[in-house]
Amino acid sequence: MTRGRRRSESSRRAILDAARVLLLEHGYERLTIDAIAAQAGVGKQTIYRWWGSKGAVVADAALAGGLVPPLIPLPDTGDIETDLRAWLRAWTEHLASGVGRSLILALTAATAEDRAVADVLYERFTGPHEQLLRDRLDSACAAGQLGSEVPVPTIAGVLIGSLLYRVLSMQAPPTADDADMVVRLVLAGAA
Amino acid sequence: MTRGRRRSESSRRAILDAARVLLLEHGYERLTIDAIAAQAGVGKQTIYRWWGSKGAVVADAALAGGLVPPLIPLPDTGDIETDLRAWLRAWTEHLASGVGRSLILALTAATAEDRAVADVLYERFTGPHEQLLRDRLDSACAAGQLGSEVPVPTIAGVLIGSLLYRVLSMQAPPTADDADMVVRLVLAGAA
Amino acid sequence: MTRGRRRSESSRRAILDAARVLLLEHGYERLTIDAIAAQAGVGKQTIYRWWGSKGAVVADAALAGGLVPPLIPLPDTGDIETDLRAWLRAWTEHLASGVGRSLILALTAATAEDRAVADVLYERFTGPHEQLLRDRLDSACAAGQLGSEVPVPTIAGVLIGSLLYRVLSMQAPPTADDADMVVRLVLAGAA
Amino acid sequence: MTRGRRRSESSRRAILDAARVLLLEHGYERLTIDAIAAQAGVGKQTIYRWWGSKGAVVADAALAGGLVPPLIPLPDTGDIETDLRAWLRAWTEHLASGVGRSLILALTAATAEDRAVADVLYERFTGPHEQLLRDRLDSACAAGQLGSEVPVPTIAGVLIGSLLYRVLSMQAPPTADDADMVVRLVLAGAA
DNA sequence: TAGTAAACGAGACGGTACGTCCAGTCTTGAT
DNA sequence: ATCAAGACTGGACGTACCGTCTCGTTTACTA
């Protein structure tokens, strides 16, 4: 028996859409709640009622607002090296685009600034990707493609970390060759 | 033949010290120029005269203000695995402390928010650490400990990236065991 | 032949009571519809359905909500001076209390800010008091206690105005002596 | 030895001018600090730095901003009735204009809402006018035109109060005839 | 040993965005 | 049809900082 008006789904969408557009247009640090509210045609209070901070809105825009691509798939062809290579190459491609880069920079800024946001993002964004990797690596172990004592979490962390570092160091976006080399390096000793 | 009063060294120190203290206390996003000036007992104009932006002050405070530890040394005992392990363990220890973690989070936020700061920090902070790794890896190649076609830049990036990801994912600070496993993984196929 | 639910008398009373309590507690400018609704245990819409503005609620609370004391009686002993003195003294007593003062200040603020409220309040609050005075003065004329050409409306206005000025000037609440002096002054030349 | 930039006289004038213009244009309750700041081309903080409330700005605009006419003079022709009549007529004329009415309503609202503002206004606006009256009445006593035991403060209060009541009751602005009648009434018994 | 020019502390300035409060409206399920 | 509940848009609030701009003071080189 819930009384009173229900949360407006259209406002929710408008806010997340506005956050997405403005984030890609101006970057995280120049994103303001005022601008999101204006762009979305919404009262500021409606934003604060449901999110409470800029980082939280951005995190939700990334997760539910269509900003993050659907989980980049990690195929299971039976050959772990091929599959990881495909996954990592897809990521490098995404990060080479302005959109992908802006997104990761924004999420990183939000993570580094706000512990609560960091937790949400790990739970719903980074974590699932990491889990995807781990699952595929586990299945490769089970299939005998990797030694059974291979440190699966470490491998997953290393693969993600190398991507992250390339984006944050800002020198040059990672390339397909980089991706291949990382995969080869990581799998070389894990046979 | 400079006329007029010289730049005050004591003000410069006071500003960098204040920035360091406030950065570790409150984090990058809550750091303000007003607070730095007040804490340093300095006029705001003196900050803007020499630095021009919050990010620039933070970068300088990190680099020249005693915030960043002296380059963590990478010994050359002749055994590359031992040396990398020592280096990575020293880093994990530093990151396990509140100060080290806060520092990396602050610098990461600054990097993700401001391209100019990112460049300064890469050039004078991240870059030198990366170079240190590359040099040691090169010497290991020359000494025949690693294959001559080993992708040195990739290895360096992977080592740093794995540290970064552990800090940013916020799940748990990296441990000595993690460090050892990363080193073993990365060197396993590079013999 | 009214269809549907009837207006709730208990809500009406609760709203007027809440307005009265909050008005005296915090003054007119800090009175909010939200607070009235909460205090009355009533939806805001119920207030807007029947009153339409804050001023209207206040006016009604003053008039029908038990905020304004029942018309201070103006006796007719046959001696106009005695009667006016009694009336004016009763008013000064009322205004010397915190409640009376707060009330007049609140109604004055409402009057000065909102023309519509001013009209309602004059018609149903100030006006009747003024009329009471005029009627008594007229009867005194008829009884030969005052000259027949005495400016009755002016006398009434002067009596009320002197009270009002004392309250608004905020220097000190009017006293019984003041009241007596005003009456003597006003009647002195009206014999 | 005052250090730092001095208060900007031009901003002060601009704020008071803006307050005056907007007050007369829209009335007290619709006057906003935001609008004053925008109209004056000034930061809001500059207003809050020096005034702290809407009422205080309005009070100052009235007193120092050219809103209130210079003290309406009370001549001393030797005939107290003539002089009071002139003074009161000048006031009724001023109050019959939209500007005068708006002003008094605004100052009354400010007085009724904020005790601190009320005190400032009494001290610097109402008080001086009252004092003017008292001084003239005292000199009339000294000259033998009024009885020596005449209640001067009461007369002054009654004169001002009658004006105030006419404005606030909002029925009709006071006329010259009203003014004459009040003077005659008040002086009738004070010979 | 003046004179002068730059840097200094202080702090007010025009602005932008903040996060909160309230007005007045709209929507919901219950009475 | 009205009610209590409560989310909605809109707009002003008063605060915090931004980066700039005076001030009068201090410092150190130059004439």
Side-chain angles (χ1 to χ4, degrees):
Chain A
M1 179 179 61
T2 47
R3 305 235 277 178
R5 189 176 182 174
R6 308 301 178 67
R7 176 172 184 178
S8 161
E9 176 59 19
S10 70
S11 289
R12 191 184 139 269
R13 298 290 330 166
I15 290 164
L16 296 178
D17 287 351
R20 176 169 47 77
V21 166
L22 294 172
L23 182 63
L24 296 178
E25 202 167 310
H26 299 305
Y28 182 74
E29 73 165 339
R30 278 194 261 175
L31 183 66
T32 68
I33 297 281
D34 278 317
I36 294 173
Q39 167 90 11
V42 139
K44 277 201 292 179
Q45 194 64 41
T46 301
I47 298 180
Y48 284 108
R49 186 162 18 242
W50 301 109
W51 285 281
S53 82
K54 187 173 75 167
V57 178
V58 169
D60 209 11
L63 298 167
L67 192 51
V68 165
L71 263 186
I72 288 183
L74 210 181
D76 188 346
T77 64
D79 179 27
I80 181 67
E81 183 164 359
T82 303
D83 296 347
L84 287 181
R85 217 194 290 265
W87 184 83
L88 215 53
R89 280 180 170 220
W91 264 110
T92 60
E93 222 161 284
H94 182 238
L95 293 177
S97 76
V99 171
R101 226 181 78 97
S102 295
L103 173 64
I104 296 300
L105 289 177
L107 297 186
T108 302
T111 289
E113 280 184 0
D114 185 331
R115 177 67 212 239
V117 171
D119 288 342
V120 170
L121 282 174
Y122 183 77
E123 188 185 333
R124 300 191 35 210
F125 175 61
T126 324
H129 285 100
E130 189 176 349
Q131 193 58 48
L132 196 71
L133 273 178
R134 291 184 181 188
D135 289 346
R136 182 65 190 82
L137 289 165
D138 282 337
S139 88
C141 289
Q145 288 199 313
L146 296 176
S148 59
E149 305 239 331
V150 144
V152 163
T154 301
I155 297 177
V158 155
L159 289 169
I160 297 176
S162 69
L163 278 173
L164 189 59
Y165 178 56
R166 284 301 291 265
V167 172
L168 282 178
S169 75
M170 304 260 190
Q171 292 316 99
T175 66
D177 277 0
D178 293 322
D180 292 352
M181 254 183 308
V182 169
V183 170
R184 196 178 320 129
L185 176 70
V186 157
L187 292 185
Chain B
M1 187 173 343
T2 48
R3 306 245 297 168
R5 190 176 179 172
R6 307 302 179 68
R7 176 173 185 179
S8 160
E9 175 60 17
S10 69
S11 289
R12 190 183 141 270
R13 297 293 328 167
I15 290 165
L16 295 178
D17 287 351
R20 175 170 46 80
V21 166
L22 294 172
L23 184 64
L24 295 179
E25 204 166 308
H26 300 304
Y28 181 74
E29 69 164 342
R30 280 198 267 173
L31 182 66
T32 68
I33 296 282
D34 279 304
I36 294 174
Q39 167 90 12
V42 138
K44 282 203 291 176
Q45 194 59 247
T46 301
I47 298 179
Y48 283 107
R49 185 158 22 239
W50 303 109
W51 284 280
S53 85
K54 187 173 79 165
V57 179
V58 168
D60 209 13
L63 298 166
L67 190 53
V68 166
L71 263 186
I72 289 183
L74 211 180
D76 188 348
T77 63
D79 179 28
I80 182 66
E81 183 163 359
T82 305
D83 295 348
L84 287 180
R85 215 194 291 265
W87 184 83
L88 215 53
R89 281 182 170 218
W91 263 109
T92 60
E93 221 159 284
H94 182 236
L95 294 176
S97 75
V99 170
R101 225 181 79 98
S102 295
L103 174 64
I104 296 299
L105 289 176
L107 297 186
T108 301
T111 289
E113 280 188 1
D114 184 332
R115 175 70 210 236
V117 172
D119 288 343
V120 170
L121 284 174
Y122 181 77
E123 186 185 335
R124 300 193 33 211
F125 174 60
T126 324
H129 285 99
E130 190 176 348
Q131 194 57 49
L132 195 70
L133 273 178
R134 291 185 181 185
D135 290 346
R136 182 66 191 82
L137 288 165
D138 282 337
S139 89
C141 289
Q145 288 199 314
L146 296 176
S148 59
E149 305 238 333
V150 143
V152 164
T154 301
I155 297 178
V158 155
L159 289 169
I160 298 176
S162 69
L163 278 174
L164 190 59
Y165 179 55
R166 284 301 291 265
V167 172
L168 281 178
S169 74
M170 303 258 191
Q171 294 313 100
T175 65
D177 277 359
D178 293 321
D180 292 351
M181 257 185 305
V182 169
V183 170
R184 197 178 319 129
L185 175 71
V186 156
L187 293 185
Chain C
M1 179 172 32
T2 48
R3 306 244 294 165
R5 189 175 180 175
R6 306 301 175 70
R7 176 173 185 178
S8 159
E9 175 61 15
S10 71
S11 289
R12 191 183 141 270
R13 295 295 324 168
I15 289 165
L16 296 177
D17 286 350
R20 175 170 46 80
V21 167
L22 294 171
L23 184 64
L24 295 179
E25 203 165 312
H26 300 303
Y28 180 74
E29 66 165 343
R30 282 198 266 173
L31 182 67
T32 69
I33 296 283
D34 280 301
I36 294 173
Q39 168 90 10
V42 138
K44 282 203 293 176
Q45 195 58 246
T46 302
I47 297 179
Y48 283 107
R49 188 160 16 242
W50 301 110
W51 284 278
S53 83
K54 187 172 78 166
V57 179
V58 169
D60 209 14
L63 298 166
L67 189 52
V68 167
L71 262 185
I72 288 183
L74 210 179
D76 188 347
T77 64
D79 178 27
I80 181 68
E81 182 163 0
T82 304
D83 296 347
L84 287 181
R85 217 195 290 266
W87 183 84
L88 215 52
R89 281 181 170 218
W91 264 110
T92 60
E93 221 161 285
H94 182 237
L95 293 176
S97 76
V99 170
R101 226 181 78 98
S102 295
L103 173 64
I104 295 300
L105 289 177
L107 296 185
T108 302
T111 289
E113 282 187 0
D114 185 330
R115 177 69 210 236
V117 172
D119 288 343
V120 171
L121 284 174
Y122 182 77
E123 187 186 333
R124 300 192 34 213
F125 174 60
T126 324
H129 285 100
E130 191 175 348
Q131 194 57 50
L132 195 70
L133 272 178
R134 291 184 182 187
D135 289 346
R136 181 66 190 82
L137 288 165
D138 281 339
S139 87
C141 289
Q145 286 201 312
L146 295 177
S148 60
E149 305 236 332
V150 144
V152 164
T154 300
I155 297 179
V158 154
L159 289 170
I160 298 177
S162 70
L163 278 174
L164 189 59
Y165 179 57
R166 283 300 291 264
V167 172
L168 281 177
S169 74
M170 305 258 190
Q171 293 314 100
T175 66
D177 276 0
D178 293 321
D180 292 353
M181 255 183 306
V182 169
V183 170
R184 196 178 320 130
L185 176 70
V186 156
L187 292 185
Chain D
M1 180 179 62
T2 47
R3 304 235 277 179
R5 189 176 181 173
R6 307 305 177 65
R7 176 172 186 180
S8 160
E9 176 60 18
S10 70
S11 291
R12 191 184 138 269
R13 297 291 329 167
I15 290 165
L16 296 178
D17 287 350
R20 176 170 46 79
V21 167
L22 294 172
L23 182 64
L24 296 179
E25 203 166 310
H26 300 304
Y28 182 75
E29 76 166 337
R30 279 196 257 174
L31 182 66
T32 69
I33 297 281
D34 277 319
I36 295 174
Q39 166 90 12
V42 138
K44 278 202 289 179
Q45 194 65 249
T46 300
I47 298 179
Y48 284 108
R49 191 169 5 249
W50 301 108
W51 285 280
S53 84
K54 188 172 77 166
V57 178
V58 168
D60 209 11
L63 298 168
L67 193 51
V68 165
L71 263 186
I72 289 183
L74 210 179
D76 189 346
T77 63
D79 178 28
I80 182 68
E81 183 163 359
T82 304
D83 296 347
L84 286 181
R85 214 194 292 263
W87 184 84
L88 215 53
R89 281 181 170 219
W91 264 111
T92 60
E93 220 160 286
H94 183 237
L95 293 176
S97 74
V99 170
R101 228 182 77 99
S102 296
L103 174 64
I104 296 300
L105 289 176
L107 297 186
T108 302
T111 288
E113 280 185 0
D114 184 332
R115 175 70 212 237
V117 170
D119 288 343
V120 169
L121 282 174
Y122 182 76
E123 188 185 333
R124 299 192 34 210
F125 175 60
T126 324
H129 285 100
E130 190 175 349
Q131 193 57 48
L132 196 70
L133 274 177
R134 291 185 181 185
D135 289 345
R136 182 66 190 83
L137 289 165
D138 282 337
S139 87
C141 289
Q145 288 199 314
L146 296 176
S148 60
E149 305 237 333
V150 144
V152 164
T154 300
I155 297 177
V158 155
L159 289 170
I160 297 177
S162 69
L163 278 174
L164 190 59
Y165 178 57
R166 284 301 291 265
V167 172
L168 282 178
S169 73
M170 303 262 192
Q171 292 316 99
T175 66
D177 277 0
D178 293 320
D180 292 352
M181 255 184 305
V182 169
V183 171
R184 197 178 319 129
L185 175 70
V186 156
L187 292 185

